[in-house]
Structure formats: structure tokens, C-alpha cells
Amino acid sequence: MRTDRISKDASKFRKPPNMDDYRSLYRDFSWDAAKSLLSLFPDGSYNIAREALDRHALGKNAEKIAICWLGIEGERRTITYRDLKHQADRFAGALQSLKMDIGDRVFLLLDRIPELYSAFFGALEAGCVVCPLFSAFGPDPIATRLELGEGALLVTTEDQYTSKIEKIRDRLPELKHILLVGENGPTNVKNTYDYHTQLQKQPELFETMPMLADDPALLHFTSGTTGKPKGALHAHHAVLAHTATGKYALDLHEDDIFWCTADPGWVTGISYGIIAPLSNGVTMIVDQADFEIERWYEIIQKEKVTVWYTSPTALRMMMKAGAAAARACDLSSLRLIFSVGEPLNPEAVVWGLEAFGLPIHDTWWQTETGAIMISNYASQEIRPGSMGLPFPGVNVRLIRRSGEKLEFIDKIGEEGEIAIQAGWPSMFRTYINSAEKYRGCFQNGWYFTGDLAKRDADGYFWFVGRSDDVIKSSGHLIGPFEVESAMMEHPAVAEAAVIGKPDEMAGQIVKAFLSLRKGFDASPVLKEEIYAFGRKRLGAVAPREIDFMDSLPKTRSGKIMRRLLKARELGLPEGDTSTLEASR
Ligand code: WT7
């Protein structure tokens, strides 16, 4: 079988794709016309909650299942659009009774439990800005983000509270209130309330606040190579892109059962794990448990999932377990599979055919872009290894920046940085803690993504790599600086440098090179202790590998040369080492 092209046979489509002709939709599309996909307020005001929740809960979809929730213990709960709306309304009421204002930041530190979804929408209804945190973060990354984001209210569980929040609360003067989801009921701790008690006190109805398209709605932290995590702020306008990409990229139809496996602690889990499917009025699956191959196949089979959005790491692990495991289940409900977050190996795209009878559709985007920008589409031929074609309304070019000059790369197969013409609805509006870094991403009306790619003769984009040292582990973006800072707080650690080490499954793993302070011995016992220290501070983003070194390679100006460590680790040429400080 020829596998460098996977063509689509229109006679075999289970459903006619919403976008049957890519070229003509791309040509004719305008974001203004796409507003017809929304139910804006009569005066044209926006609210993400209105589009994803209200219009269904208060319309013909009221009794339709919005969320089919699967608990760790095997529980199964169905939540209709109306149920979700009532809970969200009560949460919005609770925010008002706590005097939370429009624009105040509501942080969510929850695993995938139903309360997460009610709080998410309630906060938006009340005009607050929602900032989801990954619940597997340790106390350090959580504190950093709450502090930078000036979180005014936090929703979390009793367990997370006692294990992580209690000890950092003193450092967070802006954090006025905490709502706790748990069994223990009301607490005596100041400014800390039981979530359910607080919600029960509220009226069942809340009028969603009309917001301007540009009013802030979502805050997603992301990592760069240097400095603290960056808070990418998104506006209510983003819902236009979520809705349109849900319809034309993920091809969502009303009767789909959609499952996005990403956690809402990351942007995919919000844009496509909540907003896009609900805005398109479908039923979505939420699984509380972590990845497990048999469990996932069982969910697809039992719940008859039709459209599935997952990650290259998960697909690679399934591939390793073999196609037979997939074929042992009845996964015939599936009609489309998508992937995002890191490069998707061409073998994985093709393996989809063997295991599921369907190819995997790669999609490309970033926290900053808020929604899918490049994608493989239901109706379009797939070229395994390619990220696909730009989404309608999105102008993507490859550009080389040299100072003030922009060089547009039009030559087929030549490498350039992916740049997107500014102005699409889900474009981030700032980095809250670094307006300068934000400005640095733009030039002459183009947003520069930091990703390098090539283009083929038909306009398909092919990922080449990133232009920075940021780490991608299981699809999660991890800033080396944040990990290094935490490691350096261990009393034995003098210097730390952290790199992404290639890993067959996770794409990369976090590897730390450490030099020790005088008086400490590089013993296996100490290494174990430092591993544990990392996990305690950082949680899931802690180093998985540690090497001790006498001293770390530095430039003459004293900067640690991560690139050199990485080249040595990978056995690659060391490149220009002329600035390397003579080792002591
Ligand atoms: C970075 C953005 C987009 C939601 C999840 C990640 C990498 C993303 C692909 C892909 C190769 C990809 C890029 C990008 N990336 N999708 N299909 N092929 N690389 O959002 O955490 O902001 O990460 O993930 O390097 O810049 P994020």
C-alpha cells in the first residue's frame, strides 16, 4: 500500500464532511461571516458561556447530554446541558456573593471532575477570567502561576488544598477566597468555603454577562526557555475560532460523541475538551482517570465515541502495545481521529489504518493561537508526517526574520519560521506578565510562533523543529528555567541545567545536569533524595533523569550552555564552542 498519501474516498464518508471542499472554503471564508455559527447577544456582545452552554441549555438541546462523565471508580454520570447550566449559574452566583468583579481571575486546580466544568462556565458567565492549572503540578509551579496571575479565587479539592495550597497560601496575598470540593463540608479556615454549601445558597438562575469581543476570558500559562512561565491571555472572541474549528477541522456533527483526552489544565483541554464540542452542541466524554490503553479502548467501545482527539504520546504507546489490542475491541463507532501537541510520526498516522481502520489526522496549534491553525481535514488527502493545511481565515506563511527585515520563504521545501497574520479571533492578547515578550512575538503584523517548518508544492506544512530550548514531554510544554530554579533550591545543588532528552514514547523527557555544592558527594542516595525533592516541588514536570557533573559548561559571560549539554547527550556535533569558558 502506498502510504505517503492517504486519499479519501467520498463514497466511504460516514457523514458528509462539514467542509467538503477545502480550497473553496478557504477562498470564501471570512471570520465576520462565520459569526453566523454563534448566537451572540442581540447587540453583538460575546460570552463564551453563552455560545457553549446557554444557547443549548435554554434551547432545544436542554435535555441533551453535554457531558458523559466517567469516574475513576467506574461511576458513570450524564450531565445535560440544562444540568450544567444550573450548576454554572449557581457558581456564578457564588462568585458574586463573594464580591468577585468582572475581570477578576478565577483559578481552577481540579482533576477532571464535574465541578471543574460548572466552575469554568460559571466564572465566564460572571465575567471573570478563568485560569486552569494542571492538577499534577506540585506546589512550586502552582504558586508561581497563582502569583503571576494574581489569582483572586481558587477552586480546588480538599486533597489538593492540604497537600499543596495550605503551605503556599501565605505567599499569595491577592488570593482572597478558596472554594473546596470535598467530603468534609464547611471549614473553619478563614476565607475558605465548601464548594457545594456555597452553591446551594445561590439562586438557580444567573444572567450571563454580555462582554465585548476583546474582553479577557481565559488565561493559559505556557513556558519559554528563560524566565518565569508566561500568562497568555485570551478574549471571549476566541469562541468564534473554537466553534469554527470544531465544525470544519474536527468535523463535529450534532449527533457526534466526541472525546478529547487532554486535561483542562492545558489549552487543548479547554479549547477542545470543553468549548468547541459544547459550542457545537455535541455530547462529550470526560474520563477522570489517567491514560490506560485497555480503559481507553473500552470507553470508545462502550460510549460509542465517534470523533476522538488525542496525543502522539498516547498513540505511540498504543502502537507499542500492538494493533491486536485495538482490534480485539469493537471500535467501529469511530469515524475520525485527530492528534495534537507534538510531532506525529508518519508511522503512527498509517498505524491508525491498521488498528482502527482510520488514519490519524494531525493538527497544529499553540497556547498562543488558542485554536487549530493548521490541520488535516476529513475531506482532504493526508500526507503522513505533515501537519496539514492552514485553517480557513488563517494566513500562515514561512518567514525568516533578520533584524527589521522579513524574508518570506516561498521556495518549496525551504525552511522558515511559521508566522501567522495577526487578527484571528483566538489570538492571545498579551502575556500578562511580559508585554515586552508579547511585542517580541510580532513584526509587521505577523505573529512568530517559534516553530520551524517547510511547505510542499500543494501547501501542506511539515514540522521541522522549535527555534528554542523549550521541552515537550508527553505533549506538555515545560520551561527548563522553572525546573532548574526548583532544583537549585535543594541544599546540595550548586548549578542546574535542564534539557529535553529524546524519548521514544514521550517525545522528550526532562533531564537535569547538576553540579553539587562543596561537601556533598555524588552518591546514589543523594540522587534519589534529589529525585524525590523534584517530584515534591514540581509534581509531574520534575526531572526523570539526573546526571551529576563536576561543573556545567558555561559561556565566558557565565551562561550555562544547555545546547552543548544536549549535543553531548545526543552524540551530536557540539557546534560553535568558541564562547565556552575554559573548564576549571
Ligand atoms: C507547541 C505548542 C496546541 C495545543 C497543545 C500544545 C508543538 C503542537 C504540533 C504538531 C509538531 C506540534 C509546537 C508548538 N506542536 N502541535 N502537530 N506537530 N509540533 O500547545 O503547549 O502551547 O505547545 O507544541 O512546537 O509550538 P503548547
PDB file of all heavy atoms in Angstrom, residues 381-398:
ATOM      1  N   GLU A 381      -6.971  14.681   1.441  1.00  0.00           N
ATOM      2  CA  GLU A 381      -5.897  13.686   1.439  1.00  0.00           C
ATOM      3  C   GLU A 381      -4.924  13.958   2.602  1.00  0.00           C
ATOM      4  O   GLU A 381      -4.641  15.113   2.904  1.00  0.00           O
ATOM      5  CB  GLU A 381      -5.151  13.827   0.107  1.00  0.00           C
ATOM      6  CG  GLU A 381      -3.872  13.059   0.019  1.00  0.00           C
ATOM      7  CD  GLU A 381      -3.193  13.304  -1.331  1.00  0.00           C
ATOM      8  OE1 GLU A 381      -3.737  12.827  -2.344  1.00  0.00           O
ATOM      9  OE2 GLU A 381      -2.139  13.968  -1.358  1.00  0.00           O
ATOM     10  N   ILE A 382      -4.444  12.897   3.221  1.00  0.00           N
ATOM     11  CA  ILE A 382      -3.452  13.045   4.290  1.00  0.00           C
ATOM     12  C   ILE A 382      -2.080  12.673   3.737  1.00  0.00           C
ATOM     13  O   ILE A 382      -1.945  11.680   3.017  1.00  0.00           O
ATOM     14  CB  ILE A 382      -3.773  12.116   5.478  1.00  0.00           C
ATOM     15  CG1 ILE A 382      -5.085  12.538   6.138  1.00  0.00           C
ATOM     16  CG2 ILE A 382      -2.638  12.127   6.503  1.00  0.00           C
ATOM     17  CD1 ILE A 382      -5.464  11.676   7.320  1.00  0.00           C
ATOM     18  N   ARG A 383      -1.088  13.487   4.090  1.00  0.00           N
ATOM     19  CA  ARG A 383       0.297  13.110   3.770  1.00  0.00           C
ATOM     20  C   ARG A 383       0.986  12.808   5.092  1.00  0.00           C
ATOM     21  O   ARG A 383       1.343  13.741   5.820  1.00  0.00           O
ATOM     22  CB  ARG A 383       0.990  14.254   3.045  1.00  0.00           C
ATOM     23  CG  ARG A 383       0.196  14.599   1.811  1.00  0.00           C
ATOM     24  CD  ARG A 383       0.802  15.633   0.938  1.00  0.00           C
ATOM     25  NE  ARG A 383      -0.066  15.738  -0.235  1.00  0.00           N
ATOM     26  CZ  ARG A 383       0.127  16.563  -1.242  1.00  0.00           C
ATOM     27  NH1 ARG A 383       1.156  17.371  -1.227  1.00  0.00           N
ATOM     28  NH2 ARG A 383      -0.709  16.585  -2.252  1.00  0.00           N
ATOM     29  N   PRO A 384       1.136  11.540   5.437  1.00  0.00           N
ATOM     30  CA  PRO A 384       1.658  11.181   6.758  1.00  0.00           C
ATOM     31  C   PRO A 384       2.959  11.916   7.065  1.00  0.00           C
ATOM     32  O   PRO A 384       3.866  11.926   6.234  1.00  0.00           O
ATOM     33  CB  PRO A 384       1.853   9.675   6.668  1.00  0.00           C
ATOM     34  CG  PRO A 384       0.838   9.244   5.657  1.00  0.00           C
ATOM     35  CD  PRO A 384       0.783  10.354   4.644  1.00  0.00           C
ATOM     36  N   GLY A 385       3.023  12.525   8.241  1.00  0.00           N
ATOM     37  CA  GLY A 385       4.196  13.308   8.614  1.00  0.00           C
ATOM     38  C   GLY A 385       3.963  14.795   8.429  1.00  0.00           C
ATOM     39  O   GLY A 385       4.704  15.609   8.950  1.00  0.00           O
ATOM     40  N   SER A 386       2.897  15.151   7.706  1.00  0.00           N
ATOM     41  CA  SER A 386       2.593  16.569   7.508  1.00  0.00           C
ATOM     42  C   SER A 386       1.509  17.012   8.494  1.00  0.00           C
ATOM     43  O   SER A 386       0.604  16.251   8.824  1.00  0.00           O
ATOM     44  CB  SER A 386       2.108  16.816   6.086  1.00  0.00           C
ATOM     45  OG  SER A 386       1.389  18.031   6.026  1.00  0.00           O
ATOM     46  N   MET A 387       1.598  18.266   8.924  1.00  0.00           N
ATOM     47  CA  MET A 387       0.602  18.808   9.854  1.00  0.00           C
ATOM     48  C   MET A 387      -0.661  19.225   9.122  1.00  0.00           C
ATOM     49  O   MET A 387      -1.673  19.505   9.737  1.00  0.00           O
ATOM     50  CB  MET A 387       1.180  20.011  10.592  1.00  0.00           C
ATOM     51  CG  MET A 387       2.509  19.692  11.251  1.00  0.00           C
ATOM     52  SD  MET A 387       3.124  21.027  12.256  1.00  0.00           S
ATOM     53  CE  MET A 387       3.539  22.258  11.049  1.00  0.00           C
ATOM     54  N   GLY A 388      -0.577  19.316   7.786  1.00  0.00           N
ATOM     55  CA  GLY A 388      -1.773  19.619   7.021  1.00  0.00           C
ATOM     56  C   GLY A 388      -1.775  21.028   6.451  1.00  0.00           C
ATOM     57  O   GLY A 388      -0.715  21.606   6.178  1.00  0.00           O
ATOM     58  N   LEU A 389      -2.971  21.572   6.301  1.00  0.00           N
ATOM     59  CA  LEU A 389      -3.184  22.838   5.591  1.00  0.00           C
ATOM     60  C   LEU A 389      -3.754  23.894   6.538  1.00  0.00           C
ATOM     61  O   LEU A 389      -4.480  23.563   7.475  1.00  0.00           O
ATOM     62  CB  LEU A 389      -4.186  22.597   4.457  1.00  0.00           C
ATOM     63  CG  LEU A 389      -3.756  21.587   3.386  1.00  0.00           C
ATOM     64  CD1 LEU A 389      -4.968  21.028   2.642  1.00  0.00           C
ATOM     65  CD2 LEU A 389      -2.769  22.243   2.426  1.00  0.00           C
ATOM     66  N   PRO A 390      -3.472  25.178   6.270  1.00  0.00           N
ATOM     67  CA  PRO A 390      -3.974  26.242   7.148  1.00  0.00           C
ATOM     68  C   PRO A 390      -5.497  26.247   7.233  1.00  0.00           C
ATOM     69  O   PRO A 390      -6.176  25.967   6.244  1.00  0.00           O
ATOM     70  CB  PRO A 390      -3.499  27.529   6.469  1.00  0.00           C
ATOM     71  CG  PRO A 390      -2.389  27.131   5.584  1.00  0.00           C
ATOM     72  CD  PRO A 390      -2.619  25.711   5.190  1.00  0.00           C
ATOM     73  N   PHE A 391      -6.009  26.559   8.390  1.00  0.00           N
ATOM     74  CA  PHE A 391      -7.455  26.653   8.567  1.00  0.00           C
ATOM     75  C   PHE A 391      -7.980  27.881   7.815  1.00  0.00           C
ATOM     76  O   PHE A 391      -7.300  28.907   7.752  1.00  0.00           O
ATOM     77  CB  PHE A 391      -7.782  26.765  10.070  1.00  0.00           C
ATOM     78  CG  PHE A 391      -9.253  26.635  10.340  1.00  0.00           C
ATOM     79  CD1 PHE A 391      -9.873  25.399  10.296  1.00  0.00           C
ATOM     80  CD2 PHE A 391     -10.028  27.769  10.593  1.00  0.00           C
ATOM     81  CE1 PHE A 391     -11.243  25.283  10.515  1.00  0.00           C
ATOM     82  CE2 PHE A 391     -11.399  27.657  10.813  1.00  0.00           C
ATOM     83  CZ  PHE A 391     -12.005  26.409  10.766  1.00  0.00           C
ATOM     84  N   PRO A 392      -9.171  27.787   7.233  1.00  0.00           N
ATOM     85  CA  PRO A 392      -9.742  28.959   6.562  1.00  0.00           C
ATOM     86  C   PRO A 392      -9.743  30.189   7.488  1.00  0.00           C
ATOM     87  O   PRO A 392      -9.978  30.070   8.683  1.00  0.00           O
ATOM     88  CB  PRO A 392     -11.175  28.507   6.261  1.00  0.00           C
ATOM     89  CG  PRO A 392     -11.072  27.019   6.101  1.00  0.00           C
ATOM     90  CD  PRO A 392     -10.024  26.591   7.094  1.00  0.00           C
ATOM     91  N   GLY A 393      -9.466  31.330   6.930  1.00  0.00           N
ATOM     92  CA  GLY A 393      -9.425  32.553   7.742  1.00  0.00           C
ATOM     93  C   GLY A 393      -8.081  32.780   8.410  1.00  0.00           C
ATOM     94  O   GLY A 393      -7.894  33.771   9.106  1.00  0.00           O
ATOM     95  N   VAL A 394      -7.169  31.811   8.226  1.00  0.00           N
ATOM     96  CA  VAL A 394      -5.859  31.907   8.878  1.00  0.00           C
ATOM     97  C   VAL A 394      -4.783  31.962   7.801  1.00  0.00           C
ATOM     98  O   VAL A 394      -4.669  31.048   6.980  1.00  0.00           O
ATOM     99  CB  VAL A 394      -5.619  30.686   9.800  1.00  0.00           C
ATOM    100  CG1 VAL A 394      -4.248  30.782  10.451  1.00  0.00           C
ATOM    101  CG2 VAL A 394      -6.709  30.594  10.860  1.00  0.00           C
ATOM    102  N   ASN A 395      -4.022  33.035   7.801  1.00  0.00           N
ATOM    103  CA  ASN A 395      -2.973  33.204   6.812  1.00  0.00           C
ATOM    104  C   ASN A 395      -1.644  32.780   7.424  1.00  0.00           C
ATOM    105  O   ASN A 395      -1.120  33.455   8.300  1.00  0.00           O
ATOM    106  CB  ASN A 395      -2.937  34.678   6.366  1.00  0.00           C
ATOM    107  CG  ASN A 395      -2.046  34.885   5.159  1.00  0.00           C
ATOM    108  OD1 ASN A 395      -1.535  33.918   4.578  1.00  0.00           O
ATOM    109  ND2 ASN A 395      -1.854  36.143   4.789  1.00  0.00           N
ATOM    110  N   VAL A 396      -1.142  31.633   6.996  1.00  0.00           N
ATOM    111  CA  VAL A 396       0.103  31.085   7.539  1.00  0.00           C
ATOM    112  C   VAL A 396       1.202  31.184   6.487  1.00  0.00           C
ATOM    113  O   VAL A 396       0.998  30.780   5.343  1.00  0.00           O
ATOM    114  CB  VAL A 396      -0.065  29.600   7.936  1.00  0.00           C
ATOM    115  CG1 VAL A 396       1.198  29.087   8.608  1.00  0.00           C
ATOM    116  CG2 VAL A 396      -1.263  29.401   8.843  1.00  0.00           C
ATOM    117  N   ARG A 397       2.329  31.723   6.872  1.00  0.00           N
ATOM    118  CA  ARG A 397       3.474  31.800   5.959  1.00  0.00           C
ATOM    119  C   ARG A 397       4.736  31.336   6.682  1.00  0.00           C
ATOM    120  O   ARG A 397       4.776  31.298   7.914  1.00  0.00           O
ATOM    121  CB  ARG A 397       3.697  33.247   5.481  1.00  0.00           C
ATOM    122  CG  ARG A 397       2.555  33.812   4.660  1.00  0.00           C
ATOM    123  CD  ARG A 397       2.449  33.167   3.294  1.00  0.00           C
ATOM    124  NE  ARG A 397       3.605  33.423   2.455  1.00  0.00           N
ATOM    125  CZ  ARG A 397       3.727  34.462   1.628  1.00  0.00           C
ATOM    126  NH1 ARG A 397       2.767  35.337   1.523  1.00  0.00           N
ATOM    127  NH2 ARG A 397       4.816  34.627   0.893  1.00  0.00           N
ATOM    128  N   LEU A 398       5.737  30.997   5.913  1.00  0.00           N
ATOM    129  CA  LEU A 398       7.050  30.731   6.493  1.00  0.00           C
ATOM    130  C   LEU A 398       7.895  31.973   6.261  1.00  0.00           C
ATOM    131  O   LEU A 398       7.961  32.476   5.132  1.00  0.00           O
ATOM    132  CB  LEU A 398       7.690  29.518   5.823  1.00  0.00           C
ATOM    133  CG  LEU A 398       6.903  28.215   5.990  1.00  0.00           C
ATOM    134  CD1 LEU A 398       7.568  27.080   5.218  1.00  0.00           C
ATOM    135  CD2 LEU A 398       6.780  27.841   7.466  1.00  0.00           C
TER     136      LEU A 398
END
